């Protein structure tokens, strides 16, 4: 099983600031098999980024993804009030698909 | 609009059984691979089982092998998860998830979930 470790666990930032979230895999993940999700309370996860770099339909340009091998990053260039939420990375290189434990982006 | 509506959750005693259902609409159900994903505060998000569009090939996380069975009825546009030998650690919110084309993330859809509680 591929273990995904996200850091930090919590990010305390103000609106307008830049957020950088990390996802480190226990082994190689194909760049086409890495995604980022956002989850808000009472809602299912929503796809933000797929295949490491690509924004899903309707996702604003302030969200971007990068990385390769076993290190991946989600960047939010300038936080909007609606961006404060929990973010998960997910891989599908190996079954079972796995998620990281999540990074909470909270208002400072 | 794609809709996935889960049902069948509830309170069950350890060792008991439960069958979850997921009704899909707004898309060609038989053309998409499907999953059950569960979420708990402690363990986070976990893929429990997956099934090919044709219903023949299935996949399970180790912790549920031999206890859970995923199946589908492509005529009724319904996904199922038959759960038996339930344990307290199976307590979770269970989501029905439609894969994107060819197992891709892009184009996936999630239901709102159904809560399963295993407790005496």
């Amino acid at each position: 099983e591929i273990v995904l470790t996200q850091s930090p666990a919590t990010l305390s930032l103000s609106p307008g600031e830049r957020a950088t979230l990390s996802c480190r895999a226990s082994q190689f993940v194909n760049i086409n098999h890495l995604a980022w999700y956002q989850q808000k309370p009472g809602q299912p996860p929503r796809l933000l980024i797929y295949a490491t770099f690509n924004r899903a339909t309707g996702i604003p340009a302030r969200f971007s993804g990068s990385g390769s091998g076993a290190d991946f990053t989600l960047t939010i260039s300038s936080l909007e009030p609606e961006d404060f939420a929990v973010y998960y990375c997910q891989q599908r290189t190996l079954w079972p698909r796995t998620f990281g434990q999540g990074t909470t982006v909270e208002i400072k | 609009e794609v809709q996935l509506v889960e049902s069948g959750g509830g309170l069950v005693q350890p060792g008991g059984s439960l069958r979850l259902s997921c009704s899909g609409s707004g898309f060609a159900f038989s053309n998409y691979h499907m999953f059950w994903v569960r979420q708990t505060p402690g363990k986070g998000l976990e893929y429990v089982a997956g099934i090919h569009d044709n219903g023949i090939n299935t996949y399970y996380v180790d912790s549920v092998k031999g206890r859970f069975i995923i199946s589908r009825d492509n005529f009724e546009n319904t996904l199922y998860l038959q759960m038996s030998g339930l344990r307290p650690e199976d307590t979770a919110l269970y989501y029905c998830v439609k894969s994107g084309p060819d197992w891709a993330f892009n184009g996936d859809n999630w239901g709102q979930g159904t809560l399963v509680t295993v407790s005496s």
Side-chain angles (χ1 to χ4, degrees), chain B residues 11-27:
Chain B
L11 174 63
V12 61
Q13 291 190 338
S17 298
L18 214 53
R19 188 176 84 156
L20 306 184
S21 300
C22 169
S23 177
S25 61
F27 66 102

Side-chain angles (χ1 to χ4, degrees), chain B residues 6 22 27 30-31 35 41 50 56 63-64 66 69 78-79 88 91 94 96-97 110-111 115-116 120:
Chain B
E6 302 97 336
C22 169
F27 66 102
S30 61
N31 288 353
F35 299 101
I56 294 175
S63 60
V64 308
I69 298 174
T78 304
L79 177 72
T91 294
Y94 284 74
C96 168
V97 178
W110 294 60
L115 183 62
V116 172
S120 54

Side-chain angles (χ1 to χ4, degrees), chain A residues 32-35 37 39 42-45 47 50-51 56-57 88 90-92 95-99, chain B residues 35 37 39 45-50 59-61 95 99 102-108 110-112:
Chain A
N32 293 313
H33 299 165
L34 194 286
Y37 287 75
Q39 189 176 31
Q43 297 181 18
L47 180 67
Y50 66 95
T57 303
Y88 296 95
Q90 185 197 156
Q91 67 79 29
R92 66 178 182 95
W95 179 265
R97 296 187 178 195
T98 49
F99 292 89
Chain B
F35 299 101
V37 176
Q39 185 170 28
L45 288 157
E46 180 182 44
Y47 274 84
V48 174
Y59 309 89
Y60 300 93
V61 69
Y95 291 107
S99 174
D102 196 25
W103 300 108
F105 290 123
N106 191 33
D108 73 350
W110 294 60
Q112 290 297 311

Side-chain angles (χ1 to χ4, degrees), chain B residues 67-114:
Chain B
R67 300 189 299 123
F68 290 11
I69 298 174
I70 187 172
S71 63
R72 63 192 295 162
D73 184 333
N74 284 344
F75 294 102
E76 296 292 333
N77 293 345
T78 304
L79 177 72
Y80 300 101
L81 186 67
Q82 178 67 49
M83 304 186 294
S84 59
L86 283 161
R87 304 167 181 168
E89 55 265 34
D90 295 318
T91 294
L93 183 64
Y94 284 74
Y95 291 107
C96 168
V97 178
K98 164 190 157 290
S99 174
D102 196 25
W103 300 108
F105 290 123
N106 191 33
D108 73 350
N109 297 91
W110 294 60
Q112 290 297 311
T114 186

